[in-house]
Amino acid sequence: MDLVAGLGCACAGLVALALLVVAQRLGLLYRLCHKVDTASPRHGGELVAEVLRAHGVRFLFTLPGGHISPVLVACEKLGIRVVDTRHEATAVFAADAVSRLSGRIGVAAVTAGPGVTNTVTAVKNAQMAESPLLLLGGAAATLQKGRGALQDIPQVPLFRTLCKAALSVRAVRDIVPTLRRAIATAMEGTPGPVFVELPIDVLYPFHVVQKEIGGPKTPRGLRGKLVQWYLGNYLQDLFAGAWEPRDPTPLPLRVPTAAPEQVQRCAELLSRARRPLVLVGSQALLPPTPAEELRSALESLGVPCYLGGAARGLLSPECPLLLRQNRRDALRDADLVLLAGTVCDFRLSYGRLFGRGTAVVAVNRNRTQLLRNSDVFWKPRLALQGQGGSGDTNRDFGATNRDFGVTSEVVLGQNEVVLGQNEAVLGQNEAVWDQNEVVWARMRWFGVRMRQFWVKPRPDAAAAQFRRLLEAGDSGDTNRDFGDTNRDFGVTNEVGLGQNEAVLGQNEAVWDQNEVVWARMRWFGVRNEVVWARMRRFWHQNEAVLGQTATRRSCCAIPTSSGSRGWPCKVTPRPSWWRWPGASRISPAPGSGWSGSERPRGTRSSGTGTRPRCPLRVT
């Protein structure tokens, strides 16, 4: 019994729930609290006009038709100018133009069926241009859809691929909230067109709709009575609570903005860039940022920019920041490119125009457009989903300018450090100059002593004096020190030049000082070459002098042809430390009489002679 009772309670609950759902779908629950004013002469077109006026709509472009006549009449009464066109596509194109020029949403109204299908091309154009547009289309009554009504086609599925949203109004009370939501959808995020279907039975007054869809006054049978009840219930639900006060003002718009961390990173990249470039697209001029604020931000930032789409004309032709030509070369040479609402499509060669080392910062409201072709030809350094000309971005421009000021102070400090290093380098140059003076003084002293040696050639004294000069003289060490100093000076200059290039780029004052330094270095190199050349000449002269002195003052024992040994000249022994540079080239003179085992090593035999001759000959 308990199981049966439980099953019965469950079935009763399910039945009650099903009845509640059916009552909700039929509008029975809603009509318990909201009554129907069957005597009111108002119609749904008035609600449409009130919402459009509350959103600042001034023009309604249309090609009239019976399905939308109440909307046109109500708009005319409320002061909205109704502009008649000769084609539905023309009406949508005109609404698109008003939207782009005024910043408000453009509105067009067309009749059902072929009137709606004629707008496909213009609606797709607004979608590609990201233009906020509201298209109001008439339709057959909800009860008559799919039953062969006049100009009845499935319009909502057709426009779902062309618009951000395709909505259909099912009751008079839903006109105001549906239109408010449709306009907000068209303008927030990435703007685009929105289609709202208005069936004919929600636009006309109660008595007109009742006359059109009302059944027979005397239904026959149970089936006829059920149909009559359903039609009456539908009519009651259609106008229940229709004229209750509702707020027609615009809904708050959700504009995507980047995170503060991403914005700060973008500002840092822009502050460190040396050749930045900005590409401003149509999205940068979208509400809520006025064009004047965006122009002021670009001028205060001072970055060259290209304008495209609706952004053309943002800067005056005389503005030095505006670039018009050679965009391909500029994109290749830039080290940072900021895409403010610009898409990497065919206009940018799908992203192939950027240089290999170019950092790309992309800003776009649409996630798909933000990263278009990024997986093929380019890769963004930073991708921000938001508006390129938003207020946050303008504040970030100010922060970037402050960063520029801080960077300038850092650069000035580094300049002072570099100038201090240059002064140190000049001090080293002066020290090198003093060392050169010492070297030249010693070289002059060495030259004087050499002249004295030439005037009074005394072999023993000259050898001892030359030895003392070699032992006491430090000209070679000084020259080696001078070479080390020059190398240190070159390393210091390379470090200074590297810092100049990394910090300043082209600092004219530092470059001038470096030119002076390099000129002095070249002059020092020339002087060093002269010094070394003179030193080599002095060495050769010393060798010649010492060789000639040894030839005149000393000789070896010379045997005669008769076998007697005589010494035609006095033998002067050489010092033990001396090594005659030309000893390996000396041989006995012809006719010296050397023969057999008596011939010294390294000599050759010659003819006999009676007169002893000097056996040494310098070759």
Side-chain angles (χ1 to χ4, degrees):
M1 295 297 294
D2 294 339
L3 180 60
V4 174
L7 291 176
C9 292
C11 293
L14 292 176
V15 171
L17 181 61
L19 292 176
L20 289 175
V21 172
V22 172
Q24 176 65 26
R25 294 293 300 273
L26 294 176
L28 299 177
L29 299 179
Y30 185 81
R31 289 205 304 273
L32 294 177
C33 301
H34 303 277
K35 303 302 181 181
V36 179
D37 188 1
T38 58
S40 175
R42 301 185 63 184
H43 53 82
E46 297 177 358
L47 300 178
V48 175
E50 290 176 1
V51 175
L52 296 181
R53 184 180 63 176
H55 285 76
V57 177
R58 298 172 54 191
F59 303 95
L60 177 64
F61 300 92
T62 183
L63 198 156
H67 292 78
I68 58 172
S69 293
V71 176
L72 306 181
V73 173
C75 289
E76 191 75 20
K77 289 182 179 180
L78 293 182
I80 299 175
R81 182 180 177 183
V82 179
V83 181
D84 189 13
T85 62
R86 299 297 183 92
H87 196 275
E88 289 85 359
T90 306
V92 178
F93 279 129
D96 185 7
V98 168
S99 174
R100 300 188 194 189
L101 295 175
S102 64
R104 299 187 179 92
I105 189 168
V107 183
V110 295
T111 192
V116 173
T117 58
N118 285 342
T119 64
V120 170
T121 301
V123 171
K124 186 62 178 179
N125 182 75
Q127 182 193 37
M128 298 292 293
E130 299 178 351
S131 178
L133 176 69
L134 176 62
L135 176 61
L136 303 177
T142 306
L143 284 176
Q144 298 175 352
K145 287 184 177 182
R147 299 181 181 275
L150 176 65
Q151 299 178 349
D152 179 29
I153 62 172
Q155 301 173 153
V156 174
L158 175 64
F159 279 87
R160 280 176 181 166
T161 59
L162 302 176
C163 302
K164 294 182 65 178
L167 310 174
S168 180
V169 178
R170 303 183 63 87
V172 178
R173 61 179 177 270
D174 296 335
I175 292 178
V176 174
T178 301
L179 290 179
R180 293 178 68 196
R181 186 170 70 253
I183 295 176
T185 303
M187 299 188 68
E188 69 181 4
T190 304
V194 174
F195 174 69
V196 177
E197 184 183 66
L198 298 173
I200 190 173
D201 51 356
V202 301
L203 294 179
Y204 280 85
F206 179 85
H207 64 279
V208 176
V209 178
Q210 184 182 24
K211 181 179 179 180
E212 289 294 329
I213 68 173
K217 296 181 179 181
T218 56
R220 298 179 181 180
L222 181 61
R223 181 186 180 90
K225 291 181 179 180
L226 289 176
V227 172
Q228 185 67 24
W229 176 84
Y230 180 80
L231 293 177
N233 180 77
Y234 171 78
L235 185 60
Q236 294 289 325
D237 181 64
L238 189 65
F239 285 90
W243 317 122
E244 295 178 0
R246 289 181 175 83
D247 184 14
T249 57
L251 294 173
L253 301 179
R254 297 189 300 270
V255 178
T257 56
E261 296 80 8
Q262 293 179 328
V263 176
Q264 179 64 27
R265 184 181 175 189
C266 178
E268 292 176 358
L269 291 175
L270 192 59
S271 63
R272 291 197 300 263
R274 299 176 61 183
R275 296 181 304 276
L277 190 65
V278 179
L279 271 65
V280 184
S282 301
Q283 270 195 12
L285 276 78
L286 294 176
T289 303
E292 295 293 334
E293 293 185 7
L294 181 59
R295 180 171 62 250
S296 300
L298 290 175
E299 292 176 350
S300 62
L301 189 61
V303 177
C305 58
Y306 286 93
L307 305 179
R312 295 187 180 123
L314 180 64
L315 299 176
S316 62
E318 295 78 14
C319 182
L321 302 177
L322 179 60
L323 303 179
R324 299 183 182 87
Q325 298 175 352
N326 299 327
R327 188 175 68 172
R328 181 183 296 269
D329 297 336
L331 290 174
R332 184 182 63 252
D333 297 337
D335 59 353
L336 175 68
V337 177
L338 176 60
L339 302 178
T342 304
V343 184
C344 283
D345 51 11
F346 70 97
R347 290 167 290 187
L348 293 180
S349 189
Y350 309 99
R352 289 177 291 189
L353 299 181
F354 302 129
R356 179 171 298 179
T358 302
V360 181
V361 178
V363 184
N364 202 294
R365 290 188 177 188
N366 191 343
R367 182 70 179 177
T368 304
Q369 301 290 348
L370 177 66
L371 301 176
R372 186 172 295 279
N373 298 317
S374 63
D375 55 341
V376 182
F377 298 113
W378 68 289
K379 193 71 174 179
R381 179 72 62 83
L382 182 62
L384 289 78
Q385 187 174 2
Q387 184 178 352
S390 62
D392 294 336
T393 305
N394 292 336
R395 288 191 294 272
D396 299 333
F397 283 161
T400 302
N401 289 334
R402 289 192 296 272
D403 294 337
F404 280 153
V406 175
T407 304
S408 299
E409 295 178 359
V410 174
V411 169
L412 291 176
Q414 293 178 350
N415 285 341
E416 294 178 358
V417 174
V418 172
L419 291 177
Q421 292 179 353
N422 287 336
E423 293 178 358
V425 170
L426 293 177
Q428 293 179 358
N429 289 339
E430 294 178 358
V432 172
W433 179 270
D434 295 337
Q435 292 179 359
N436 287 336
E437 292 292 336
V438 174
V439 171
W440 278 106
R442 292 186 176 181
M443 289 300 297
R444 287 193 297 270
W445 174 80
F446 186 75
V448 172
R449 301 301 294 273
M450 288 300 298
R451 284 194 296 272
Q452 295 175 359
F453 179 80
W454 272 96
V455 173
K456 298 179 180 180
R458 293 174 295 179
D460 296 337
Q465 184 180 5
F466 189 73
R467 180 180 179 182
R468 287 194 301 272
L469 289 175
L470 291 177
E471 291 177 352
D474 57 348
S475 59
D477 296 335
T478 304
N479 286 332
R480 284 193 297 273
D481 297 337
F482 174 61
D484 295 336
T485 305
N486 284 339
R487 284 193 296 273
D488 297 337
F489 174 64
V491 174
T492 304
N493 275 341
E494 292 179 1
V495 174
L497 289 176
Q499 293 179 352
N500 288 341
E501 293 178 358
V503 177
L504 297 178
Q506 293 180 349
N507 191 331
E508 296 297 336
V510 175
W511 279 113
D512 294 338
Q513 293 179 0
N514 286 335
E515 289 294 334
V516 174
V517 171
W518 282 109
R520 291 188 176 182
M521 282 297 299
R522 288 192 297 270
W523 184 79
F524 289 150
V526 174
R527 297 293 294 272
N528 286 335
E529 291 294 333
V530 174
V531 170
W532 283 108
R534 292 186 177 181
M535 287 293 296
R536 286 193 296 270
R537 188 182 66 181
F538 290 150
W539 279 106
H540 292 316
Q541 291 177 355
N542 291 337
E543 292 179 1
V545 170
L546 292 175
Q548 293 176 4
T549 303
T551 302
R552 293 196 304 268
R553 298 290 182 174
S554 63
C555 64
C556 298
I558 304 174
T560 61
S561 59
S562 60
S564 62
R565 297 180 177 272
W567 302 97
C569 61
K570 183 181 180 180
V571 177
T572 303
R574 293 192 299 267
S576 60
W577 58 269
W578 178 257
R579 176 174 295 177
W580 196 1
S584 60
R585 299 197 303 268
I586 298 176
S587 60
S592 58
W594 292 101
S595 63
S597 61
E598 298 177 344
R599 185 169 61 248
R601 186 178 181 181
T603 62
R604 60 184 178 179
S605 61
S606 59
T608 61
T610 59
R611 184 179 180 181
R613 298 165 57 181
C614 182
L616 301 182
R617 180 180 59 185
V618 180
T619 58

